[in-house]
Amino acid sequence: MNTVTLNNGVEMPQTGYGVYQVSPAECERCVSDALSVGYRMIDTAQAYHNEEGVGNAVRKSGISRQEIFLVSKVWISNYGYEKAKTSIDESLRKLQTHYIDLMLLHQPFCDRYGAYRALEEAYKEGKLRAIGVSNFYPDHFIDIASNMEIVPAVNQVETHVFDQQTEPQKIMEEFGTRIMSWGPLAEGRNNLFTNPILAEIGHKYGKSVAQVALRWLIQRGVIIIPKSTHIERMRQNIDIFDFTLSDEDMAAIATLDTGKSLFFDHHDAETTRMFMGWR
């Protein structure tokens, strides 16, 4: 499994297992399966309501805590310094751990500055090994990276073959921040799994469309967290390190970029109204 080095020297697996939309009832089983087939990074969030399932699976796995990289995120209802500080301790309790390897702010709304100060403090106290943000577009990202004491180690944003985030990735790299993809398979939207360009490339290497799409991200230096509730697909999603896409393959896939979200635009007024309803 590849690792990447964050801007504070912490080593992070480049491929992990995401539990977005995994029900609390299923989460422990799914994370246990993921760990059993080789995943060593698990991505959860307060808003997913399944941190307890992740914690249970890690505790019961028999794998040393030091070998597992845990990621979670503070939700906007817990923004502001005091509330974020309390919520970090609650996430530690639910995950049954003394530290979280990477903690992110989940959205660029509400009092993100106060919440980020809480991340900085928890980092200095050793409760968090690295801190960062999620869904921060270049303007949001440059603002917080320029004005807070600790530059985010990671920015997790929608990134896949149809929304490639090429220019935002360059801006993150100016600050030493790693790009992390949510929705690396676009949740199958835009007919990803039958895309003819990806299928043709996959045929050449004896790989699936999904494996080609994930390998393309890996070769760009993107951190990925594909999700499946099926153990065989979990295996397939990490079986991407025995082939390398050619420059021609990479260029062909680059032509699929639409430059637009398939989910929601964080600069759109209606998107902001939606998130205000989730506080």
Side-chain angles (χ1 to χ4, degrees):
M1 192 78 71
N2 285 13
T3 63
V4 297
T5 304
L6 303 182
N7 58 15
N8 64 351
V10 167
E11 289 286 320
M12 177 180 184
Q14 193 178 359
T15 303
Y17 177 69
V19 297
Y20 175 57
Q21 293 181 330
V22 176
S23 71
E26 271 201 306
C27 186
E28 182 178 333
R29 189 269 300 171
C30 288
V31 174
S32 295
D33 285 347
L35 292 171
S36 74
V37 301
Y39 290 85
R40 290 297 179 266
M41 186 249 288
I42 307 296
D43 176 276
T44 183
Q46 294 171 356
Y48 302 167
H49 305 293
N50 57 20
E51 287 177 310
E52 295 98 328
V54 172
N56 287 339
V58 170
R59 177 173 54 83
K60 295 175 183 179
S61 69
I63 302 167
S64 167
R65 172 66 185 88
Q66 288 71 30
E67 293 182 36
I68 299 174
F69 195 100
L70 290 179
V71 183
S72 195
K73 310 173 196 75
V74 178
W75 186 243
I76 55 176
S77 58
N78 291 323
Y79 277 19
Y81 170 74
E82 291 295 342
K83 289 170 75 175
K85 185 177 176 180
T86 299
S87 82
I88 292 166
D89 288 338
E90 183 67 5
S91 287
L92 287 166
R93 184 188 68 78
K94 289 179 177 179
L95 289 165
Q96 303 170 55
T97 183
H98 296 298
Y99 66 91
I100 294 169
D101 296 279
L102 174 64
M103 195 75 168
L104 310 176
L105 297 188
H106 207 150
Q107 302 289 347
F109 305 118
C110 304
D111 182 10
R112 57 187 183 266
Y113 305 101
Y116 198 82
R117 285 196 296 274
L119 292 188
E120 291 179 324
E121 182 177 287
Y123 172 77
K124 292 174 184 177
E125 292 173 347
K127 295 177 180 179
L128 311 175
R129 295 182 66 221
I131 62 176
V133 294
S134 178
N135 295 304
F136 276 53
Y137 283 21
D139 52 351
H140 302 135
F141 171 75
I142 292 170
D143 182 32
I144 205 160
S146 300
N147 288 295
M148 303 305 289
E149 182 182 351
I150 300 173
V151 174
V154 166
N155 185 10
Q156 184 181 126
V157 292
E158 175 189 352
T159 314
H160 46 72
V161 296
F162 302 122
D163 190 5
Q164 298 182 3
Q165 302 285 2
T166 305
E167 290 306 313
Q169 182 177 1
K170 292 177 183 176
I171 293 169
M172 293 177 214
E173 289 172 350
E174 290 174 16
F175 289 85
T177 302
R178 302 300 301 236
I179 184 172
M180 183 173 181
S181 161
W182 65 257
L185 296 174
E187 295 184 9
R189 298 188 185 196
N190 238 20
N191 299 313
L192 181 139
F193 295 117
T194 56
N195 181 272
I197 290 176
L198 299 176
E200 182 179 349
I201 293 171
H203 180 73
K204 180 166 63 172
Y205 295 101
K207 293 291 183 178
S208 70
V209 163
Q211 288 169 320
V212 169
L214 295 175
R215 179 68 199 182
W216 180 80
L217 291 168
I218 288 290
Q219 287 183 214
R220 285 183 51 208
V222 179
I223 300 164
I224 61 173
I225 46 169
K227 184 212 87 174
S228 175
T229 57
H230 304 286
I231 192 167
E232 187 49 46
R233 289 192 195 134
M234 293 179 193
R235 287 192 183 98
Q236 291 174 4
N237 288 340
I238 56 171
D239 184 21
I240 56 174
F241 296 99
D242 59 351
F243 74 110
T244 301
L245 297 172
S246 69
D247 291 343
E248 292 77 16
D249 298 329
M250 296 293 287
I253 296 170
T255 67
L256 297 175
D257 192 15
T258 67
K260 296 178 181 179
S261 170
L262 296 186
F263 298 88
F264 34 66
D265 181 349
H266 283 75
H267 285 147
D268 181 73
E270 292 308 312
T271 296
T272 305
R273 286 193 180 99
M274 176 186 71
F275 281 113
M276 293 308 98
W278 292 353
R279 283 185 295 176

